[in-house]
Amino acid sequence: MNRELMEALDILEKEKNISKDTLLGAIEQSLIQACKNHFGKADNVHVSINPETCDFRVMADRTVVEYAEDPALEISLVDAQKINAHAEIGDVIQVEIHSKEFGRIATQNAKNVILQKIREEERKVLYDQYYGKEKEVVTGIVQRVMGKNVSVNLGKADAILSENEQVKGEEFQPTERIKVYILEVKDTPKGPRILVSRTHPGLVKRLFESEVAEVQDGTVEIKSIAREAGSRTKIAVWSNDPDVDPVGACVGMKGERVGVIVNELRGEKIDIINWDENPAILIENALSPAKVIAVMADPDDKTALVVVPDYQLSLAIGKEGQNARLAARLTGFKIDIKSETQARESGDLYDYEDEEEYYEDEEYGEEYESSEETPVPESYEEAAVEEE
């Protein structure tokens, strides 16, 4: 049993996470390469390795001739009969090749083949590991600031946090621990190139999944997210269980759950609203904290007119239009916001107080005219009394 080789393979398998079969395959290729370097060719060479004991044999097929002119492919009859007494000219016999006979260059080349294979497999393992974490949030340690980019160590590989994926105003110090969203993992000859983000809406979604048990188990769904990184995020949630309040679950007791996420996002404000299949109700919720008088939504054109009280207009639009902009992204509707006065002047808000209304009693077949002089009966019983 080749104990030294077996121990070396076990260590590599644990530290580099490379399978023993792959390493044995690399050794096999290195031995064939060594034969090629030593003899000039290796088409007739076979390597057999016992995976249990790590014992290996290198055998070469050689044709028996009277006088060998090409030692890589031929063997003399005299030498062949030393191996097999019944060997005859024209037979093909297997001759064992001892790796100790290889020259220094052949040995060095074989070593390089093994090291190259180990490096390739290590890169592949790293790529597969982090490729499987795409669109996930991981914790990294800031390594160094490279100009406007930041290098973040994710454990076994470094990631790049580019300027475009950084929140404006955020500053990082070496050894600082931060959470990042893995945008993309690319396979390159130098290893996986990992791009991460602090601005992607997916970062907020994954943070809620990690902090809110109801989101993690699917009881509460995050239907939509709109984010302006570093400033404000709006998130629409829905509960699959009528006994579970989705907003309350995400906020947590005394705001503990959402507080953890706000701290991680360094003070970014988060509005959590109820999702609704009715676009008018959804838009009204999305414009929170502003109060809404009326919403006229067109699902086909994805447009909506929203009327708010005069004193709520600036709140509904938000600073530099942020509240309206985030609501539009969250709902997918193009939203036009008007004050109550503007809506009345343009005729978008119908004023029922100045118009006459007619109410028809289904039982008596009577029409009642609504005016200041003739108030509308509040019930059929009152109408019947008046009729009498």
Side-chain angles (χ1 to χ4, degrees), residues 146-164:
M146 307 174 297
K148 295 183 178 181
N149 297 335
V150 178
S151 175
V152 182
N153 182 265
L154 303 182
K156 295 183 179 180
D158 289 343
I160 300 171
L161 179 62
S162 66
E163 181 186 12
N164 294 335

Side-chain angles (χ1 to χ4, degrees), residues 323-359:
N323 195 55
R325 190 165 55 247
L326 287 174
R329 291 182 196 168
L330 189 74
T331 61
F333 278 70
K334 183 179 180 181
I335 301 174
D336 182 18
I337 303 176
K338 290 185 177 182
S339 68
E340 184 178 3
T341 300
Q342 292 171 338
R344 290 187 188 281
E345 290 175 352
S346 62
D348 292 318
L349 184 63
Y350 194 72
D351 194 342
Y352 292 96
E353 294 179 359
D354 300 332
E355 298 291 336
E356 290 186 337
E357 296 180 355
Y358 293 90
Y359 294 81

Side-chain angles (χ1 to χ4, degrees), residues 51-66:
E52 301 297 329
T53 63
C54 288
D55 290 331
F56 62 89
R57 297 184 69 190
V58 182
M59 309 296 290
D61 295 333
R62 291 180 179 172
T63 304
V64 179
V65 295
E66 190 167 352

Side-chain angles (χ1 to χ4, degrees), residues 201-213:
L203 174 62
V204 180
K205 182 177 181 181
R206 296 303 184 194
L207 289 175
F208 269 100
E209 289 176 351
S210 64
E211 291 295 330
V212 181

Side-chain angles (χ1 to χ4, degrees), residues 221-291:
E221 291 183 44
I222 297 175
K223 290 288 191 176
S224 181
I225 293 180
R227 184 185 184 202
E228 291 192 358
S231 179
R232 196 178 205 95
T233 291
K234 283 183 180 288
I235 177 171
V237 293
W238 169 267
S239 176
N240 293 310
D241 186 342
D243 296 329
V244 176
D245 174 22
V247 174
C250 292
V251 172
M253 185 73 69
K254 297 181 180 180
E256 290 180 356
R257 289 176 171 178
V258 73
V260 172
I261 298 170
V262 169
N263 290 337
E264 178 59 42
L265 299 177
R266 304 190 178 187
E268 183 174 317
K269 296 177 182 178
I270 299 178
D271 295 338
I272 306 173
I273 69 161
N274 281 303
W275 171 270
D276 200 288
E277 294 294 339
N278 186 324
I281 298 176
L282 177 61
I283 292 169
E284 181 180 352
N285 293 343
L287 286 171
S288 175
K291 299 183 184 300

